[in-house]
Amino acid sequence: MLQTALDCVVVIDEGTRIREFNPAAERTFLRSREASLGEELGALILPADFLVGHLKKFAHFLDEGEASAVNRYVECEAERADGTRFPVELSVTPLKVGGEALFTAYLRDITERKAAEHELAAARDAAEEANKAKSQFLANMSHELRTPLSAIIGYSEMLQEEMEDGTEPAGLAPDMHKIETNARHLLGLINDVLDLSKIESGKMEVFVEAFDVEATVRDVAATVAALVEKKNNALSLDLAPGLGAMRSDLTKVRQMLLNLLSNAAKFTEGGTVTLSASRERDRLTFAVRDSGIGMTEAQMGKLFQRFSQADSSTTSRFGGTGLGLSISRAFAIMLGGDITVASTHGRGSTFTVVLPAEVAR
C-alpha cells in the first residue's frame, strides 16, 4: 500500500522524526526516502509550529482513546527540497505500536485544485462585474435614448401648435434645427450599439480606400469644433509635415478621432484640446490631449471595457454610454494598430492612436 499509494504517506514518531517515506512523498517533495528517514518532519517539509501544535492534540486524543476525533483534513503549506512552497491537504492518524505512539500523515498536493478554485473565483467575479456593467449600461442607455427622444417629441408638438396658429415657415426653423440635432444624436447612439453588435459577432467589415491624412484631420477638427468650444475650450491642431496619404478605412479613422475629441471636450472645461498627427515611415500617430479632469490608475484600468466608464460618478456627471472608447479601440485593432492612454488625475489625459499607413489585406 505504501509503495502504490497515490498520496504521500509519511510515518512519524512523537518527536516528529520520520520513520517511513513512501515513493509518492519522494516524487512530491523531491527528496529520497534514505535522505528523509530520521529527519524531523517539521524542519523538512512542514511548518514546525503547525505540526507540533497538532501532534500535542493528537497525543491527547490518543491517551483518551478518542482517535476518531483526529481523522480530519486540514490545509497548510509544505516545502519541496528546492525551497518552493505549495499547498497540501493533510490528515494525520495516530496509532500505537508496541506501546509507542506513532502518527501516519497523509498528504496530497492540491496546487492544481487551488489554481482551479482561484480561476473559478476570478471567472465568477469577472462575470458578476460584467453583468453589473451591462445592467448599468442598460440604465445609462435608456436615459441617453430618452433624452433626445423627449426633445424630438416636445419640439414636434410645439411645431404642430405653431403651424396651427399660422406661424410663418421661417419662424419654425429654430425648432426644426433642434429636432434635427437631437435626431442625429439619437442616430449616433443607435449606431454605437449596432457597431458593438457587429464587432462582437465578427461581422464588422473593413473598407479600404486612399485618403489624404492632413485633409482628414482638418475635416474632423472642423466637425467637432463647435462641441469643443461649447465648454469654453480651445481646439488646437499640431500637424507634422509629410503626413501623406493612408490606405485604410476612412470612416473608422474619422470615428476614432471624433470619439476621442468628443470625450476630451466632455471632460474638459475652460481648457485646451489638442489634436496632433505625425508620420514615421509606414506608421501614423494621432494624439488627442486635453487639460481636463484626468484619471487615476484604477480608472484607466476600466477605460476600454465595454459598457463601462471610468467610474459610476462619471456617468452621473457627464452622461454617455461607455461604448465610444471600446469601439474605437476595436476599430484600431481591426486596422492593425491600437489606442493607448496616459493620464494624471486632475491634469488631463492623452489618447494616442497608432495605425499603419496601409491596412494589411
Side-chain angles (χ1 to χ4, degrees), residues 99-344:
E100 182 185 14
L102 296 177
F103 302 90
T104 303
Y106 301 92
L107 301 103
R108 177 175 298 169
D109 184 348
I110 57 172
T111 301
E112 291 185 4
R113 191 180 83 190
K114 286 294 183 183
E117 289 175 356
H118 178 74
E119 290 177 5
L120 185 61
R124 183 197 62 229
D125 293 343
E128 290 177 353
E129 187 66 27
N131 187 55
K132 181 180 177 182
K134 285 195 175 184
S135 297
Q136 185 64 48
F137 163 74
L138 290 174
N140 295 343
M141 180 58 80
S142 63
H143 172 76
E144 290 290 323
L145 292 174
R146 278 198 301 268
T147 300
L149 274 174
S150 298
I152 291 170
I153 293 170
Y155 283 115
S156 297
E157 291 173 345
M158 289 172 59
L159 282 174
Q160 290 178 18
E161 293 175 0
E162 291 173 357
M163 291 170 69
E164 290 170 358
D165 292 339
T167 304
E168 292 295 323
L172 304 177
D175 289 338
M176 290 293 292
H177 177 68
K178 290 172 183 175
I179 290 175
E180 181 191 6
T181 300
N182 281 280
R184 290 187 181 279
H185 176 55
L186 185 60
L187 179 62
L189 293 173
I190 294 171
N191 283 338
D192 280 351
V193 175
L194 292 176
D195 284 345
L196 180 64
S197 177
K198 288 181 181 179
I199 290 168
E200 293 196 331
S201 64
K203 294 181 179 179
M204 179 63 74
E205 297 180 0
V206 175
F207 299 96
V208 178
E209 60 181 303
F211 56 91
D212 184 77
V213 177
E214 182 173 344
T216 300
V217 171
R218 291 190 181 279
D219 180 57
V220 168
T223 302
V224 82
L227 179 63
V228 173
E229 294 166 1
K230 190 174 180 181
K231 288 189 174 181
N232 299 317
N233 295 311
L235 177 60
S236 173
L237 284 180
D238 181 12
L239 306 181
L243 291 176
M246 288 183 74
R247 280 188 55 80
S248 189
D249 190 316
L250 174 59
T251 301
K252 290 180 176 57
V253 172
R254 279 178 51 84
Q255 188 168 338
M256 281 187 285
L257 296 179
L258 285 170
N259 281 342
L260 295 179
L261 286 166
S262 297
N263 268 1
K266 182 191 298 185
F267 300 115
T268 306
E269 187 167 357
T272 302
V273 175
T274 302
L275 171 58
S276 62
S278 60
R279 182 175 190 138
E280 185 175 348
R281 296 182 182 177
D282 58 349
R283 300 192 75 79
L284 284 134
T285 300
F286 305 93
V288 176
R289 185 173 65 254
D290 66 68
S291 57
I293 61 175
M295 292 172 286
T296 64
E297 290 289 337
Q299 289 172 330
M300 284 192 286
K302 298 180 180 180
L303 204 56
F304 294 103
Q305 296 177 10
R306 290 167 189 174
F307 312 114
S308 67
Q309 292 185 322
D311 58 37
S312 57
S313 64
T314 301
T315 303
S316 59
R317 287 179 60 194
F318 300 99
T321 61
L323 293 180
L325 286 177
S326 62
I327 291 173
S328 295
R329 190 174 201 187
F331 283 172
I333 292 171
M334 289 177 67
L335 299 179
D338 202 357
I339 297 179
T340 57
V341 60
S343 184
T344 302

